[in-house]
Amino acid sequence: MDAPGAALERAHHHAEAWLASLEERPVPASVDTDEIVRRLGDLPDEPTPSAEVVDLLAAACEPGLVAIPSGRFFGMVIGGCLPAALGADWLTSAWDQNTGLRALTPAAAAVEEVAGRWVLDLLGLPSESAVGFVTGATMANFTCLAAARDTVLERSGHDVRRGLVGGPPVRVLVGAERHPSVDLPLRFLGLGDPHVVPADERGRIVADALASALEQGEGPTIVVLQAGNIHSGAFDPFAECIAAAREHDAWVHVDGAFGLWAAASPRWADDVRGLAHADSWATDAHKTLNVPYDCGLAVVRDRDALTSSMAMHGDYLIEATGDPQERVPELSRRGRGFASWAALRSLGRGGVVAMVERFAAHARAFAEGAAEIPGVEVLNEVEFTQVCLAFGDDQRTRAVAAALLEDGTTWMSGSRWHDRAIVRISVSNWSTTDDDVRRSLDALRRAAAAV
């Protein structure tokens, strides 16, 4: 094989060209998946020089790229990538460290320990907690809920290492508007569908209804709360819910994929009151912290509980107490901590707070600007970074969403909330400016007028 220098040079060229295009290029892709498949071609019989491969890949894929790193992408809840985090992620691939064992890759283990400690400090979570770096919010929920399942079963006298058969059923209580990334891990863990507790008009679990549900059942119990409703951005009433859960010896887990970062700012002190008294927390650094993909954070107050659920052993492993593999479901994985450390170090405490507050300010600007467009209804009070809009009936709202994509200036997701079709705006990118908000609102006006 040829040396990597030429391929890296071409990759750098294409990366810079891509980033430079974001200011003016349309946000949606210009071709579909089938066209990209055609462009990528068939497997050749003979080797291809690495620099040529990089050029071919860039040429084939560029038209099919969505400008997600753009300051005008507001779909899903997807963050951008801070410059320091991007640079660190390039080094992560070049360094090629397998982050599982302290003795094997001490640098990778060290940055995870430091970045994890910084996250706990920023979010006001218990300093003794263990932090595992996983792929994303779904696996962060899985990791925390595995520790929860094993712990509540152990309290009831059942050792999960014998399997779930023969053990008492585990009740999992969730709000009616929890994210599906909670339900999926429950199936992975053999716990099945959760028991659903009513939510209020803002999507928050009703504390009295949770207390009643806890009273009506018995046995091993897990309560899942939410920091940041996917539509309203609202936070569950943590203090009241956790107090009720404690009366029943239930484990409390908080799904905070994007909203957990509100705890970094005094602005949301009332919203997150009691949050730190839970047993575990999940978030995704790619969202609000703006590091590259593949960086969820699973935080568990009881280090031993997480180690008991996650650690694996092998005669060939050079094991030590505190190995990264004790905190995640994987043994072989990339060094996820490098980019997280770089993002935190580049921002500092004040920079993290300013970025989170800026996201919320942009969301409020969207709500205020959209409210001035004829026929637009803002469906939620902006509590964090989410804005939900309706344009009359469902048919017209969907038509506006389609017209927005056709316009290409911005990307806003279609969704459904309170049994209505909506256009949802999620502000999560460090690079979004006031001008991006203005241009996107102009596009929204054009789309509304067109239909």
Side-chain angles (χ1 to χ4, degrees), residues 268-328:
W268 289 279
D270 289 341
D271 297 276
V272 301
R273 183 173 58 87
L275 171 74
H277 297 303
D279 298 292
S280 60
W281 306 262
T283 190
D284 191 342
H286 175 68
K287 297 183 184 297
T288 310
L289 186 60
N290 277 239
V291 304
Y293 271 111
D294 195 26
C295 195
L297 302 177
V299 183
V300 178
R301 178 192 297 270
D302 185 342
R303 286 177 172 265
D304 291 339
L306 183 58
T307 298
S308 177
S309 296
M310 292 292 121
M312 64 183 78
H313 304 284
D315 292 339
Y316 71 98
L317 298 177
I318 312 168
E319 298 177 57
T321 301
D323 279 332
Q325 63 95 1
E326 295 181 348
R327 301 186 290 272
V328 298

Side-chain angles (χ1 to χ4, degrees), residues 240-265:
E240 296 84 350
C241 292
I242 293 173
R246 290 288 174 255
E247 294 180 8
H248 298 271
D249 200 25
W251 178 293
V252 180
H253 171 63
V254 177
D255 172 25
F258 68 96
L260 196 65
W261 297 94
S265 168

Side-chain angles (χ1 to χ4, degrees), residues 73-437:
F73 182 88
F74 306 104
M76 318 306 173
V77 187
I78 294 178
C81 185
L82 288 159
L86 176 58
D89 197 57
W90 286 7
L91 283 177
T92 300
S93 294
W95 287 340
D96 197 22
Q97 302 292 288
N98 182 348
T99 309
L101 305 172
R102 289 169 63 94
L104 178 63
T105 51
V111 294
E112 288 196 357
E113 290 178 17
V114 173
R117 187 171 70 243
W118 288 356
V119 167
L120 296 177
D121 181 40
L122 268 170
L123 302 183
L125 301 180
S127 59
E128 71 272 17
S129 302
V131 182
F133 286 72
V134 295
T135 53
T138 301
M139 286 309 296
N141 282 329
F142 170 86
T143 303
C144 294
L145 290 169
R149 178 199 65 181
D150 298 356
T151 299
V152 298
L153 282 173
E154 182 182 23
R155 290 173 185 168
S156 71
H158 182 75
D159 186 351
V160 76
R161 287 174 293 186
R162 302 200 307 265
L164 297 179
V165 176
V170 177
R171 284 194 309 160
V172 182
L173 303 178
V174 302
E177 289 200 21
R178 80 286 181 190
H179 193 273
S181 63
V182 169
D183 294 43
L184 185 60
L186 293 176
R187 295 204 297 274
F188 291 164
L189 292 164
L191 299 180
D193 292 334
H195 297 260
V196 178
V197 177
D200 65 15
E201 71 283 354
R202 293 155 65 186
R204 304 175 304 170
I205 194 170
V206 177
D208 289 344
L210 175 62
S212 177
L214 286 164
E215 290 284 353
Q216 293 171 13
E218 58 183 17
T221 303
I222 300 169
V223 172
V224 180
L225 303 177
Q226 185 176 84
N229 178 277
I230 198 69
H231 289 112
S232 71
F235 301 82
D236 284 344
F238 299 113
E240 296 84 350
C241 292
I242 293 173
R246 290 288 174 255
E247 294 180 8
H248 298 271
D249 200 25
W251 178 293
V252 180
H253 171 63
V254 177
D255 172 25
F258 68 96
L260 196 65
W261 297 94
S265 168
R267 177 186 176 87
W268 289 279
D270 289 341
D271 297 276
V272 301
R273 183 173 58 87
L275 171 74
H277 297 303
D279 298 292
S280 60
W281 306 262
T283 190
D284 191 342
H286 175 68
K287 297 183 184 297
T288 310
L289 186 60
N290 277 239
V291 304
Y293 271 111
D294 195 26
C295 195
L297 302 177
V299 183
V300 178
R301 178 192 297 270
D302 185 342
R303 286 177 172 265
D304 291 339
L306 183 58
T307 298
S308 177
S309 296
M310 292 292 121
M312 64 183 78
H313 304 284
D315 292 339
Y316 71 98
L317 298 177
I318 312 168
E319 298 177 57
T321 301
D323 279 332
Q325 63 95 1
E326 295 181 348
R327 301 186 290 272
V328 298
E330 309 141 305
L331 185 58
S332 295
R333 62 179 176 87
R334 70 187 277 106
R336 299 180 179 122
F338 293 117
S340 297
W341 180 91
L344 292 166
R345 185 66 174 81
S346 69
L347 291 169
R349 186 187 306 276
V352 173
V353 173
M355 183 171 68
V356 173
E357 292 181 349
R358 188 166 65 251
F359 293 162
H362 286 324
R364 292 193 301 273
F366 268 120
E368 292 165 4
E372 297 176 355
I373 300 174
V376 176
E377 183 181 357
V378 181
L379 300 180
N380 67 305
E381 178 183 346
V382 178
E383 301 187 49
F384 192 43
T385 58
Q386 307 296 98
V387 184
C388 292
L389 309 175
F391 296 79
D393 60 25
D394 286 1
Q395 182 177 359
R396 184 165 189 265
T397 297
R398 293 192 189 101
V400 170
L404 269 176
L405 289 181
E406 182 69 24
D407 179 274
T409 301
T410 186
W411 182 301
M412 299 173 183
S413 298
S415 187
R416 193 163 189 84
W417 191 44
H418 291 174
D419 201 30
R420 296 183 69 178
I422 63 168
V423 170
R424 189 189 63 170
I425 302 169
S426 300
V427 185
S428 307
N429 195 310
W430 71 274
S431 67
T432 297
T433 64
D434 292 344
D435 187 59
D436 288 321
V437 174

